[in-house]
Amino acid sequence: MRYVLLIYTTEPTEQVPEDLMMAEIGAYNAFNEHVRARGAYEAGEALDGTSTATTVRVRDGKTLTTDGPFAETKEALGGFYLLEAADLDEAIAYAAMIPSATHGSIEVRPVFDFSAPAVEAGAAASAGPN
């Protein structure tokens, strides 16, 4: 089953010391190698800061844009992994290995499988758009 692991951390308000940044990058490289070696890795990216975000809404047929994120929160979405895991327990085990789990949080969500037969008529509709 496919899971998305959403990485939330507090955005730094000042320059992160280079030695700490390099240690974090090294830990992420080790995690990437681990999930790739196990055949679990499908995708993953780091995101730029929330100050670069644009929020888009459509109201009454008009597209509205706002600079920045939609919600004010302590933690911001900083990146994600899309992984293949046998079950939720394995996905959680992978999430616990992500370096930012020690100072942020990792949200684990199964990816809805639109190719699977629907259990009930409205199952796909309740999952939302692709």
Side-chain angles (χ1 to χ4, degrees):
M1 182 167 211
R2 297 166 71 211
Y3 291 87
V4 65
L5 284 57
L6 303 169
I7 303 165
Y8 291 92
T9 59
T10 302
E11 288 189 295
T13 56
E14 55 190 46
Q15 184 70 29
V16 177
E18 187 172 341
D19 61 328
L20 293 178
M21 181 62 74
M22 295 310 294
E24 183 94 346
I25 290 170
Y28 267 98
N29 287 341
F31 175 75
N32 287 336
E33 289 175 20
H34 176 77
V35 292
R36 286 176 189 273
R38 294 184 60 107
Y41 180 88
E42 290 194 23
E45 294 292 341
L47 303 176
D48 209 342
T50 58
S51 64
T52 66
T54 301
T55 299
V56 178
R57 296 176 190 81
V58 177
R59 301 293 184 267
D60 299 320
K62 184 175 180 182
T63 300
L64 307 169
T65 61
T66 306
D67 290 340
F70 174 69
E72 294 291 328
T73 62
K74 282 186 155 189
E75 291 184 332
L77 179 61
F80 72 93
Y81 283 97
L82 178 62
L83 301 179
E84 180 70 33
D87 53 30
L88 179 59
D89 290 337
E90 185 176 33
I92 290 170
Y94 283 136
M97 292 179 207
I98 294 175
S100 292
T102 62
H103 55 273
S105 60
I106 313 300
E107 181 178 343
V108 178
R109 280 200 217 176
V111 175
F112 189 85
D113 184 359
F114 282 96
S115 67
V119 176
E120 47 186 290
S126 68
N130 291 350

